[in-house]
Amino acid sequence: MAYDEELADRIRLLIKPGPELSERKMFGGLAFLIGGNMAVAASGQGGLLVRVDRTESDRLLANEFVEPMVMGGREMVGWLRVTPEAADDDTVLREWVDRGVGYARTLPPKKK
C-alpha cells in the first residue's frame, strides 16, 4: 500500500519549513526528518508514524487510537502508529506532528 499523499500534504502544512527539515521515502511511507532524525511519517500502512521519547511510549499507548510500531515482528519502543481514523482529525494530527517534531528537535543532528 502506498502512503496517503493527502496526509503527507497535511503534515507538510503543519511543519515549519527550515534547513533542518527534509523528506525521505522510508518504511513504505514518506518520513519527515528534522536534522536527519525522523519525526513523523505518512505510513505506507495507513495513518501516521510518530517518534516519541521512549519514556513516554507506555503512557501514549493508553490512547485507543495509538498502537506500537512493529517492524520485522519486533515492537519498536519510542515509535508509535496513530490510526488513520485519528489522523483524519486536524486537531489530533497537529498534536501528534508537534509531539514528533518536538522530540526530533531534542536529538543531535545527524552528520551528512
Side-chain angles (χ1 to χ4, degrees), residues 23-81:
E23 297 178 17
R24 184 179 312 157
K25 290 184 179 180
M26 55 193 313
F27 307 124
L30 183 66
F32 295 83
L33 298 93
I34 305 295
N37 295 294
M38 189 181 122
V40 296
S43 173
Q45 297 175 11
L48 187 69
L49 298 178
V50 184
R51 188 167 185 190
V52 299
D53 186 322
R54 296 171 62 93
T55 63
E56 294 183 4
S57 287
D58 287 339
R59 179 180 63 80
L60 294 169
L61 282 167
N63 183 312
E64 69 178 300
F65 298 106
V66 178
E67 305 165 347
M69 179 177 159
V70 177
M71 278 186 68
R74 193 180 78 162
E75 187 176 311
M76 307 296 290
V77 177
W79 300 82
L80 303 175
R81 178 176 301 285

Side-chain angles (χ1 to χ4, degrees), residues 73-94:
R74 193 180 78 162
E75 187 176 311
M76 307 296 290
V77 177
W79 300 82
L80 303 175
R81 178 176 301 285
V82 178
T83 65
E85 298 79 18
D88 284 345
D89 181 292
D90 289 337
T91 301
V92 172
L93 179 63
R94 176 178 291 283

